[in-house]
Amino acid sequence: MSDSENKDDELINDFLDSDYNTEDDEDAEAVFDAKEKRRKKNTILRRLVMIIAAGVFIFAAGNLISIFHEYNKGNQIYNSIEKEVLDEDAHTKVIIGDEDNEVDIPFTYDHNTLLSINKDGLGYVYIPSIDCRLPLVQASDNDYYLSHTFDNVYNINGCLFEDYRINGGLSASHVIIHGHNMKSGAMFGKLSRYKSYNFWNTQGNSSFYIYTGNVIKEYKIFSCHISEPVGDTYTYNFPSLESMRAYASEMKSRSLYDTGIDVSNATQIVTLSTCTDDLQNRLIVHGIYTGEATLP
């Protein structure tokens, strides 16, 4: 407490301890002035707190508006690309692997149109269970598409991209695809549903697809787990098929649940990677190649 406030308190206490006399005008005025001074200080303090709180609220509201605007902008961009690249008026029906495995994709895909938008394009990722339909790129680094959409617009949604260090693009023995975990549910924002065995085990939820050129490839999800952002989960460019299969076996052993899928004869793995909600680790979903179909 300041010297001034101490003096004010002394005046008030002296006044309260003394026998009040109507003729003690000077003491009464001093006490009144001290009370008034304290009241003004408290009023100023309350107003200052209210101004600071209002400023914090306005700043937070502004940030939220900006984030929602970015979400909306990113969604509009990918909706526009989808309309150009995918034709939802026609389905793609193909047999992949077993003769009984007829796949019905609710759209057709135009690879040349994709490349006309961005030459970095590799293909299109389709995960039916979470209604994920997104273009895929591979660039010369892993930074640019963290903050740029497929059509090179700066946006927090970014774009799905294959790790630039992987040789062979979508033909590599291990393809690692990175994507943001957006709170809006965009990009890989719904991939966390695969932490549930019941979700994976629902009819049709255990497979995803990648279009590239005139080929559609099917992958069966055999593992879902949480990984550190740096570690052997992100091993790539395997020197042999055997080493890749050993990797697949290890990743299967780390799964949150047993999928029962045999990976001993794996010929290719695709890994989908996104941040966990706390941003400290990574949610990993592994798929094993089960076959492909060439489109006319």
Side-chain angles (χ1 to χ4, degrees):
M1 184 178 292
S2 67
D3 292 340
S4 175
E5 289 177 331
N6 285 329
K7 187 175 181 180
D8 292 341
D9 287 341
E10 289 175 4
L11 287 170
I12 294 171
N13 291 332
D14 289 344
F15 174 75
L16 294 174
D17 292 339
S18 64
D19 294 331
Y20 181 72
N21 190 322
T22 56
E23 294 179 355
D24 295 337
D25 293 338
E26 292 183 0
D27 288 344
E29 289 180 5
V31 171
F32 176 80
D33 288 343
K35 288 183 177 180
E36 189 66 14
K37 186 185 296 184
R38 180 172 294 179
R39 185 186 67 80
K40 289 181 178 180
K41 286 182 178 179
N42 289 337
T43 300
I44 292 172
L45 181 61
R46 284 195 298 269
R47 288 178 178 174
L48 182 60
V49 170
M50 290 177 64
I51 291 171
I52 293 174
V56 171
F57 174 79
I58 293 171
F59 178 77
N63 279 345
L64 284 175
I65 292 172
S66 176
I67 290 171
F68 282 126
H69 175 72
E70 282 288 290
Y71 283 159
N72 186 54
K73 182 180 177 182
N75 290 338
Q76 289 178 349
I77 287 172
Y78 283 109
N79 286 339
S80 177
I81 293 172
E82 184 174 307
K83 288 179 181 179
E84 290 187 61
V85 177
L86 306 183
D87 181 2
E88 295 184 337
D89 291 331
H91 283 216
T92 302
K93 292 185 178 183
V94 292
I95 301 295
I96 298 179
D98 298 335
E99 292 184 0
D100 295 334
N101 184 31
E102 182 180 51
V103 178
D104 183 4
I105 307 295
F107 55 79
T108 57
Y109 163 71
D110 189 334
H111 190 66
N112 289 330
T113 299
L114 184 81
L115 295 181
S116 70
I117 300 172
N118 186 341
K119 61 180 179 59
D120 288 339
L122 289 180
Y124 227 82
V125 176
Y126 176 49
I127 311 175
S129 60
I130 58 174
D131 195 28
C132 175
R133 309 177 186 185
L134 290 168
L136 172 67
V137 298
Q138 186 178 33
S140 57
D141 60 58
N142 284 346
D143 297 323
Y144 181 79
Y145 285 106
L146 286 172
S147 58
H148 290 79
T149 58
F150 183 76
D151 57 353
N152 297 299
V153 174
Y154 184 85
N155 185 268
I156 58 175
N157 278 25
C159 182
L160 301 189
F161 62 91
E162 180 179 359
D163 195 297
Y164 83 101
R165 296 164 294 185
I166 294 174
N167 300 325
L170 291 177
S171 298
S173 60
H174 184 203
V175 175
I176 303 173
I177 300 175
H178 302 277
H180 284 310
N181 174 13
M182 303 301 292
K183 293 185 182 300
S184 64
M187 312 313 290
F188 279 162
K190 299 177 183 178
L191 201 62
S192 61
R193 294 180 183 180
Y194 277 103
K195 290 191 292 184
S196 165
Y197 170 78
N198 289 334
F199 182 78
W200 173 87
N201 198 43
T202 300
Q203 180 67 33
N205 283 9
S206 61
S207 297
F208 66 89
Y209 306 87
I210 298 179
Y211 274 96
T212 180
N214 65 336
V215 172
I216 179 169
K217 299 183 176 185
E218 182 183 59
Y219 298 88
K220 191 83 168 179
I221 295 171
F222 68 88
S223 177
C224 175
H225 62 96
I226 305 299
S227 169
E228 295 180 348
V230 177
D232 59 354
T233 298
Y234 296 96
T235 304
Y236 51 87
N237 297 336
F238 290 102
S240 66
L241 196 59
E242 288 71 23
S243 59
M244 185 271 287
R245 288 172 176 170
Y247 167 86
S249 179
E250 173 61 27
M251 294 302 107
K252 181 184 175 183
S253 71
R254 299 181 188 181
S255 182
L256 296 173
Y257 46 83
D258 183 10
T259 60
I261 296 176
D262 181 16
V263 297
S264 61
N265 294 316
T267 57
Q268 186 188 40
I269 300 167
V270 169
T271 294
L272 310 178
S273 172
T274 191
C275 288
T276 51
D277 290 339
D278 61 8
L279 305 180
Q280 299 300 310
N281 294 299
R282 301 293 181 266
L283 172 70
I284 304 296
V285 173
H286 298 287
I288 183 175
Y289 172 82
T290 56
E292 63 185 54
T294 302
L295 307 174

